């Protein structure tokens, strides 16, 4: 029984390694290019937002650079 379990484990291990190998090898050139040169395009940063909540509903509000006066709670 132990021999069967060992054989199944070895088979599963070989399948897992072969799957990883088969995934990486075709993309080897692209992986190396990304590691050496960095990303192919730049990502524009998202504008800063502030999350507010009223009555349990979460909303996004743009963060402004100008100072806003605080309002008294109703």
């Amino acid at each position: 029984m132990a021999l069967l379990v060992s054989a199944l484990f070895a088979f599963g291990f070989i399948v897992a390694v072969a799957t990883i190998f088969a995934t990486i090898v075709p993309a080897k050139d692209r992986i190396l290019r990304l590691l050496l040169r960095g990303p192919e395009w730049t990502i524009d940063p998202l504008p800063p937002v502030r999350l507010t909540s009223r009555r349990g509903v979460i909303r996004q509000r743009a963060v402004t650079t100008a100072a806003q006066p605080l309002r008294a709670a109703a």
Side-chain angles (χ1 to χ4, degrees):
M1 187 67 176
L3 183 62
L4 177 65
V5 172
S6 296
L8 286 175
F9 178 79
F11 177 73
F13 184 77
I14 290 171
V15 169
V17 170
T19 303
I20 293 170
F21 187 75
T23 303
I24 292 176
V25 168
K28 178 183 66 166
D29 295 332
R30 183 160 189 245
I31 292 170
L32 290 175
R33 186 175 67 243
L34 288 172
L35 288 174
L36 295 175
R37 297 185 196 160
E40 297 170 348
W41 59 84
T42 59
I43 300 172
D44 296 330
L46 295 173
V49 294
R50 177 172 288 134
L51 297 178
T52 60
S53 174
R54 277 194 188 168
R55 298 185 182 128
V57 179
I58 298 175
R59 295 185 179 97
Q60 287 185 354
R61 289 180 23 188
V63 175
T64 58
T65 56
Q68 295 180 348
L70 295 176
R71 294 184 297 173

